[in-house]
Amino acid sequence: GGQFLDFNLTHICNMAPAIQPINDSLGSKACPFVNVTNNEVNNFYSAGPPYVIHVQDVIPFSKRWSELVPPTYDEYPLLYAEMFAYSMAAADLNLKHRLIRGLFTGCMTQWPHTDGKGEMEALKTSAKIYANSIGNTPEGTAADNSEGASSCFLPSLTLPPFLHYCSRYSFVTPYPPEIGGSIRGGKANYHFFAKRRVDHDILKCSSHNSDRFEPFRSEKVEKIEGGQKDWNVLAVCAVVRAINFAKKKGCETQMYK
């Protein structure tokens, strides 16, 4: 979004001068992003993956983006500094994006985008089926299947083509938890996916050969990302089954070479 408009944009511009600056009201040279409006940011520059960019724009855009990241991070040394710099670079070069809504789920916490009864019921039932299949199986027994991410979702759910994993996703068993987050019997097991905990060689056929990937487990309380418990379950299901599907298909191909 346009949060970066509250930054000291003049200072950022001074640290990374524009290739083609514009003259502001004081006669000094300013970067085009200094004068961009919040409406323009939301309509053209607040973009997320996947991106489609013309080959002739890639080099100048990448160069400008890399120039703006350091001063933007100095102003805002937190996550998303690089994406605010992305928006600034796009505005500087007048690369207005055509944003496609619903192409992917932003951090996968605001989905589905409809309150349709059938879709919401399918979401709830899909989550319950997966959570219970994991919760009722001892750790290390490979309860998960290798049928891919689509097998997590019952009919009537319309999925986006891309799943954007930008956080840590978790759910608790027994599932669903009672109102207020309490667990029947007092004992809770948390199951989660954290991308930085996945072994880098997870897809190599020579490693983890006999085991399917499973959600990580913990008895410590895990935050429910975005507060949507059913979608957190399916976010875990989708990535776990996608990994197992990729491993299965890739290793099967190698066997017949």
Side-chain angles (χ1 to χ4, degrees):
Q3 183 180 349
F4 71 87
L5 297 178
D6 294 328
F7 297 170
N8 187 341
L9 299 181
T10 300
H11 176 71
I12 293 174
C13 179
N14 290 338
M15 298 300 294
I19 299 174
Q20 295 180 324
I22 59 175
N23 291 323
D24 61 17
S25 59
L26 299 178
S28 59
K29 293 183 177 181
C31 299
F33 67 75
V34 172
N35 296 315
V36 72
T37 67
N38 190 63
N39 186 59
E40 289 172 327
V41 172
N42 291 326
N43 287 333
F44 304 116
Y45 303 123
S46 183
Y51 306 99
V52 179
I53 303 178
H54 195 280
V55 64
Q56 293 182 354
D57 294 322
V58 169
I59 298 301
F61 178 71
S62 299
K63 184 176 185 297
R64 186 59 181 147
W65 185 12
S66 66
E67 292 171 349
L68 286 168
V69 168
T72 303
Y73 187 80
D74 289 342
E75 173 80 14
Y76 184 83
L78 298 170
L79 188 66
Y80 297 131
E82 78 286 356
M83 295 315 301
F84 291 140
Y86 181 102
S87 297
M88 296 179 201
D92 254 18
L93 299 179
N94 196 31
L95 290 178
K96 293 183 177 180
H97 291 51
R98 179 176 295 177
L99 305 181
I100 303 176
R101 310 297 179 181
L103 184 61
F104 79 104
T105 53
C107 293
M108 302 193 309
T109 58
Q110 302 300 322
W111 180 93
H113 298 295
T114 176
D115 292 325
K117 183 177 179 181
E119 196 168 24
M120 295 304 294
E121 284 299 318
L123 173 65
K124 184 185 300 183
T125 304
S126 298
K128 186 175 182 179
I129 289 172
Y130 180 72
N132 288 334
S133 73
I134 296 297
N136 294 331
T137 306
E139 186 174 6
T141 55
D144 227 306
N145 69 34
S146 304
E147 300 305 314
S150 61
S151 66
C152 298
F153 307 95
L154 293 176
S156 82
L157 288 176
T158 302
L159 302 179
F162 298 93
L163 304 178
H164 181 200
Y165 283 83
C166 59
S167 192
R168 182 182 181 114
Y169 303 91
S170 65
F171 61 92
V172 62
T173 56
Y175 193 88
E178 295 178 357
I179 296 175
S182 60
I183 301 296
R184 294 178 294 277
K187 183 179 181 181
N189 289 301
Y190 288 84
H191 312 264
F192 63 95
F193 174 80
K195 58 188 177 184
R196 291 183 178 86
R197 288 191 56 171
V198 178
D199 291 339
H200 291 180
D201 62 351
I202 188 65
L203 296 179
K204 290 184 179 179
C205 299
S206 58
S207 63
H208 313 281
N209 197 39
S210 60
D211 298 329
R212 288 177 180 170
F213 180 67
E214 298 178 359
F216 300 108
R217 299 193 183 204
S218 173
E219 292 185 358
K220 296 181 180 179
V221 175
E222 289 283 334
K223 181 184 73 171
I224 304 300
E225 180 66 29
Q228 219 300 350
K229 64 181 188 301
D230 293 328
W231 180 238
N232 270 262
V233 175
L234 295 187
V236 174
C237 178
V239 69
V240 167
R241 290 188 175 178
I243 289 172
N244 287 329
F245 179 79
K247 177 73 175 288
K248 176 184 175 183
K249 291 298 182 181
C251 294
E252 285 178 350
T253 301
Q254 284 194 15
M255 286 176 59
Y256 295 105
K257 283 187 176 180

